[in-house]
Amino acid sequence: MTETTFTPPTRFAIPGRIAVTHQGANVWQTATLTEIRRETPRAATFRFAVPAWVGHVPGQHLQLRLTAEDGYSAQRHYSLASAPDDSGHIELTLDHVEGGEVSGWFHSEARPGDRVEVRGPVSGFFAWPGDRPALLIGAGSGVVPLMSMVRHHRARGLGVPLRLLVSARSPEELIYAREYGAETTPVFTRSAPPGTPVGRMTAAHLEPVLAEGPPGGWEAYVCGSNAFAEHASRLLVAAGQPVDRIRIERFG
Amino acid sequence: MNVTRGFTGRPRVHRPGLPPGQYDAGDDWPVLSAEVTPDLAPADWTFRVDGLVEEPRTWSWEQAHALPGSVYEGDIHCVTSWSKFGVRFGGVSVDTFLAAVRPLPTATHAVAYSHTGYTTNLPLTDLTGGKAWIAFSYDGRPLAPEHGGPARLLVPHLYFWKSAKWVAGLKLLDHDEPGFWEQNGYHARGNPWEEQRYSGD
């Protein structure tokens, strides 16, 4: 056996993995719903008690499973919204997807006390351990894993720079609107508060942040639809962000 | 069994080709790559097979297209739970490339790697016997960049993260060496019929 992993010779480069533990990540556990909070007309946050949760790194996701009485089950991957803590609770923020059998159950049927199954956390790629400057760019519910990072940054009082650019159709559809602080720049694509321009994210939004150039450079995290991820990652590359410092999570 | 109160799920449709835990994505084809889609022109694309082989070799776009063509018509399955039925890819069988380089008897596994540096590991037996392709086209059109164009590996009997986009080469080894997602907690083989999603499944 070779001890070192083969590294291909390439013109482009993918960022490396973040050290995370996978211990216990493949064991299904019961998660008990304890609270539901509405965020926007389409999105709500669901808080669960998961007493044996092994913890996670901000940005990671989990697998969630619902089972019907005849044994039929449906599973989905969802990003964790909460920062890692020792409360034995985790939070997910879910869009109500039209015709979605899992998100439909959450938005139409679920109530505190209901039990579902989860396992994870998963992935050591789209993860931010809080050790490097983070430039977070999200759209719609793509802000969910980025919010875990923002909350972690605040909860630990981290000194490392962190910025969030978040795109939403309108102020009403901006998830976590009340929680943002000076680190965040919202971008509105359809309607905006008076005095705020309307339009998609452009190089002009990125330039001031990239110009800050923190020591060691930014690690960029992009999350949203594939169309948004393609757009935002092209803006980043054009503005000089190295491709091996761009981590992308696309919604399927 | 842990029944979820009030959950009925979508209507049960018997789909013989649907592996456990998967749903039919219909006309959707989600994109889930973790890296920036590379700006890779066909003229800059190359494909190399080396490692435990008699004669390592690199093919250019033209050289690869001069090889006998082969088509895959069937289904694909992503670990994130969607499956897509009745897809049609055109390209060249991996068997054709391997016949040219002649794998050594000691070769048991391969690492497939991309022009982005993405890697994924496979037993050699999952790449041979008409089960794997280097695909250039989808539905009769050039493969789109976001789906791995100009060329991707296609191993449709395994979860689709094994089908490396923007494929740059195969390195044949005498042992299994975890690739990008496999180092990130995903299963070493990824057989959808056995639901080998994560390490330990």
Side-chain angles (χ1 to χ4, degrees), chain B residues 47-103:
Chain B
F47 179 65
R48 180 170 174 80
V49 186
D50 62 10
L52 297 174
V53 299
E54 297 275 1
E55 196 181 342
R57 186 157 168 202
T58 302
W59 284 265
S60 69
W61 182 254
E62 274 90 31
Q63 288 165 339
H65 280 70
L67 297 171
S70 178
V71 167
Y72 170 72
E73 285 179 295
D75 312 328
I76 56 177
H77 312 288
C78 176
V79 70
T80 61
S81 300
W82 58 265
S83 291
K84 190 168 172 58
F85 287 90
V87 300
R88 188 171 194 275
F89 286 94
V92 173
S93 171
V94 169
D95 292 308
T96 305
F97 294 98
L98 292 175
V101 300
R102 301 194 305 279

Side-chain angles (χ1 to χ4, degrees), chain B residues 108-129:
Chain B
T108 57
H109 291 78
V111 175
Y113 58 97
S114 297
H115 284 273
T116 62
Y118 176 85
T119 56
T120 187
N121 53 301
L122 302 111
L124 200 50
T125 51
D126 279 322
L127 288 168
T128 54

Side-chain angles (χ1 to χ4, degrees), chain A residues 24-29 53 61-65 75 117-122, chain B residues 195-201:
Chain A
N26 65 344
V27 179
W28 287 103
Q29 304 178 53
W53 185 248
H61 57 270
L62 54 64
Q63 201 177 357
L64 182 144
R65 179 165 77 184
Q75 47 196 359
E117 289 177 289
V118 297
R119 64 174 184 168
V122 186
Chain B
E195 270 207 275
Q196 295 170 339
R197 297 178 196 273
Y198 301 112
S199 174
D201 278 353

Side-chain angles (χ1 to χ4, degrees), chain B residues 137-160:
Chain B
S137 71
Y138 175 77
D139 218 6
R141 296 214 175 91
L143 189 60
E146 63 186 13
H147 290 301
R152 77 181 298 163
L153 179 63
L154 176 68
V155 192
H157 69 287
L158 300 179
Y159 283 129
F160 221 43

